[in-house]
Amino acid sequence: MPTHKNIFKYLFISLFFFVSQNLHGQTDSLRQTGGLTIGIDLARFLVQIWEPVNTNFEFSITSDLVRSIYVNGEGGWLKTAFSDEDQNYTSGGYYLRMGGLYNLFKRKSQAKDMIYIGLLYGFSNFWHEADQITITDDYWGVGSGRLDRKTLKSNWLEIKIGIQIEIFKNWFLGWAIRPRFHLFGTTDERLPAYIIPGYGKGENNVNFGMSYYLAFRIPYGKNKR
Amino acid sequence: MKFNLGNAIIFLTCMVLGTTACNINRPCDEPTQFPILSGFYDSIGADTTLAGLTIFGIGREDSLLADMDTLHSVSLPLNPFTDTSRFVMTFGPVADTLSFMYQRNLRMVNPECGFAMYFQIETINHTHNFIDSLILLDQYLDANAQEHLQIFVH
C-alpha cells in the first residue's frame, strides 16, 4: 500500500520530469514580456468535500519584480462549521499572505514555467464560537455549555515551494507545498481555535499546506531581461 | 509551449493522488478522556498489589471505581466540570482521601470526536492512614504516559 511519502515522491518526480521535458527546446529568439498572474486555488474547493469547511476561497496575484524574483500576494476567506447532537462549533475569517518567490530556472526565452521557492508572511483575522459544547465522562456524567463569539488574530511565516506550467497560452496550472510556522497572535484562553484561516490547525506551531493553482497571466510591457 | 495532453493527464492524476493522500476521512480514534494512571508501590519502591481495595469519587459514592478488588494500578478520572476532584480509597479497615486540584483546558479534538477536557494537575493532598507518599510523574495528563502518579503505601 503506497504511503503518503511515496505518493508525494512520485508526484514531485513526475511533475519535475514534466516541466523539464517542456522546457527543453524553448527557442531563445522570442521576446519575453512581464506580466501579472492571477490565480485561484482549486484545492480549496476539493478540501470542502472531506474537511469540515463550509466555504474556502483563495486567490493569488504574482507579478515580476526583477530577474527571477516575483512579488506574490494571496488572500482568502474560510468558514468552517460542524455540528451534531453534542456540538455546534463555527469559525470564519479572512487571511492574507505577502512575500516573494524566486524562480530556480534560468529563463533565457519566453518560457514562463517556473520551479520556485518563496517566503511569505501570513496574517489572519478570524472569529470562533461554540453554541453547544458537550463533555461526556464515563464516571462523572455529561455536562454542556457554550462559548460566545471571540475575534482572534494570527501571524505566521510560510515557505512556498512549487511549480507552474503553462497549459495554454497565458493559462497555467501549478501546485505548491507550503510549511507554515506560527509566529504570534491572540489566543482564546477558553478554547484554542480549531482552524486558523489560511494557516491550518490552530493548536499546531507548524502546519503543512498544499495548493493547486489555476492561473491566468496578463502580459504587459517588454521585459528587459 | 504546445499543449501536451499526456502531460496534462499526468499532472491532473498526480494532483488528485496528492490531494487524496493528504486527507483521510476518519472516525473518532483519538482519546477524549484522560484519567490519572496511578501505580501502587511499597515503601522500598517496588511494585505492589493491594487486595480488597475500594475506591470512589466524592460526589459519586454510588459508583465505585474499585470494589474490594486486587489492584497494582488504578485509573482515577478527574471531574471535568469542577477544578477539584477527591477520591476515597479504603484498604482493609483504613481509608485515605486524595484531593486533586487542577486546571481544565477545553479543546476541540476533531470534528469526529468533538470536545474534550485536558487537565494540568497543580496540587495533590492526601491523608496518611495507609498512603505514605505520592510522586507525580507528569502534571499534564495525556494518553501517551504509562503512569502519571506513583502511590507509596505503608
Side-chain angles (χ1 to χ4, degrees):
Chain A
M1 189 169 174
T3 63
H4 291 184
K5 189 183 285 185
N6 283 337
I7 290 172
F8 276 119
K9 188 168 69 179
Y10 297 139
L11 174 73
F12 183 80
I13 290 171
S14 58
L15 288 175
F16 186 84
F17 181 73
F18 173 40
V19 172
S20 305
Q21 191 182 26
N22 281 286
L23 287 175
H24 181 71
Q26 298 283 351
T27 60
D28 290 347
S29 59
L30 298 170
R31 281 189 303 183
Q32 189 174 29
T33 57
L36 186 72
T37 305
I38 301 170
I40 60 168
D41 185 359
L42 302 174
R44 297 308 95 206
F45 302 110
L46 293 172
V47 162
Q48 294 174 37
I49 297 170
W50 51 79
E51 291 287 337
V53 172
N54 289 38
T55 311
N56 192 189
F57 177 79
E58 181 175 318
F59 66 90
S60 171
I61 297 176
T62 307
S63 179
D64 302 45
L65 184 63
V66 293
R67 181 179 179 83
S68 297
I69 295 178
Y70 299 78
V71 175
N72 182 208
E74 297 173 338
W77 165 264
L78 181 145
K79 183 164 187 260
T80 184
F82 31 88
S83 63
D84 56 29
E85 63 273 15
D86 293 329
Q87 58 177 329
N88 186 352
Y89 177 84
T90 53
S91 69
Y94 69 86
Y95 54 95
L96 300 167
R97 305 188 194 102
M98 181 63 75
L101 306 178
Y102 178 73
N103 189 2
L104 299 172
F105 270 128
K106 300 293 181 190
R107 302 196 317 173
K108 298 177 181 175
S109 67
Q110 198 183 23
K112 304 176 195 83
D113 301 321
M114 294 168 62
I115 290 182
Y116 59 84
I117 183 167
L119 184 67
L120 303 176
Y121 185 89
F123 168 79
S124 177
N125 187 62
F126 64 102
W127 55 266
H128 76 156
E129 65 184 345
D131 283 340
Q132 186 184 358
I133 296 170
T134 302
I135 297 290
T136 302
D137 186 90
D138 294 340
Y139 188 69
W140 296 102
V142 179
S144 61
R146 56 165 291 156
L147 295 176
D148 293 333
R149 177 179 291 208
K150 185 165 185 178
T151 300
L152 303 166
K153 294 176 173 57
S154 186
N155 298 263
W156 67 92
L157 270 183
E158 184 164 327
I159 297 170
K160 185 176 179 184
I161 303 166
I163 69 168
Q164 175 178 291
I165 300 156
E166 187 174 35
I167 51 172
F168 295 105
K169 184 174 176 57
N170 290 324
W171 283 93
F172 297 88
L173 276 177
W175 59 256
I177 55 175
R178 34 208 322 166
R180 297 169 180 141
F181 306 92
H182 186 259
L183 295 177
F184 58 90
T186 53
T187 56
D188 187 348
E189 300 298 331
R190 308 167 304 168
L191 175 70
Y194 183 65
I195 292 178
I196 297 173
Y199 174 71
K201 282 280 186 72
E203 65 180 7
N204 295 344
N205 286 323
V206 178
N207 274 322
F208 186 82
M210 199 156 190
S211 300
Y212 297 108
Y213 279 101
L214 174 65
F216 179 71
R217 179 178 167 96
I218 304 166
Y220 60 78
K222 287 182 181 178
N223 195 315
K224 293 178 180 176
R225 280 170 283 190
Chain B
M1 187 175 96
K2 291 180 181 177
F3 176 71
N4 184 317
L5 181 61
N7 287 338
I9 289 171
I10 290 172
F11 184 93
L12 290 171
T13 302
C14 291
M15 176 173 144
V16 172
L17 279 176
T19 304
T20 53
C22 294
N23 299 279
I24 299 167
N25 199 4
R26 55 197 180 278
C28 176
D29 54 1
E30 299 285 331
T32 57
Q33 296 180 38
F34 306 96
I36 303 177
L37 305 177
S38 309
F40 295 111
Y41 297 85
D42 63 19
S43 56
I44 60 169
D47 287 1
T48 192
T49 299
L50 301 183
L53 190 67
T54 298
I55 305 172
F56 63 86
I58 292 179
R60 287 306 314 272
E61 291 80 357
D62 58 331
S63 180
L64 300 178
L65 290 164
D67 186 8
M68 297 298 287
D69 292 334
T70 299
L71 300 172
H72 62 83
S73 64
V74 65
S75 294
L76 301 173
L78 297 180
N79 189 333
F81 313 117
T82 64
D83 293 331
T84 302
S85 293
R86 295 200 295 162
F87 298 91
V88 175
M89 291 187 177
T90 304
F91 178 51
V94 292
D96 272 320
T97 301
L98 282 84
S99 301
F100 297 91
M101 278 66 81
Y102 45 86
Q103 269 188 22
R104 294 174 292 145
N105 300 302
L106 181 67
R107 283 189 211 164
M108 165 64 72
V109 179
N110 58 44
E112 292 78 23
C113 300
F115 295 94
M117 196 67 80
Y118 291 71
F119 302 100
Q120 179 186 352
I121 297 175
E122 294 180 323
T123 310
I124 308 176
N125 295 320
H126 68 94
T127 55
H128 294 79
N129 294 314
F130 75 93
I131 295 177
D132 178 48
S133 60
L134 306 172
I135 294 178
L136 182 63
L137 301 175
D138 190 353
Q139 70 176 136
Y140 297 95
L141 305 186
D142 58 42
N144 299 323
Q146 298 281 328
E147 193 169 80
H148 302 111
L149 180 69
Q150 293 180 331
I151 302 174
F152 295 86
V153 298
H154 293 302

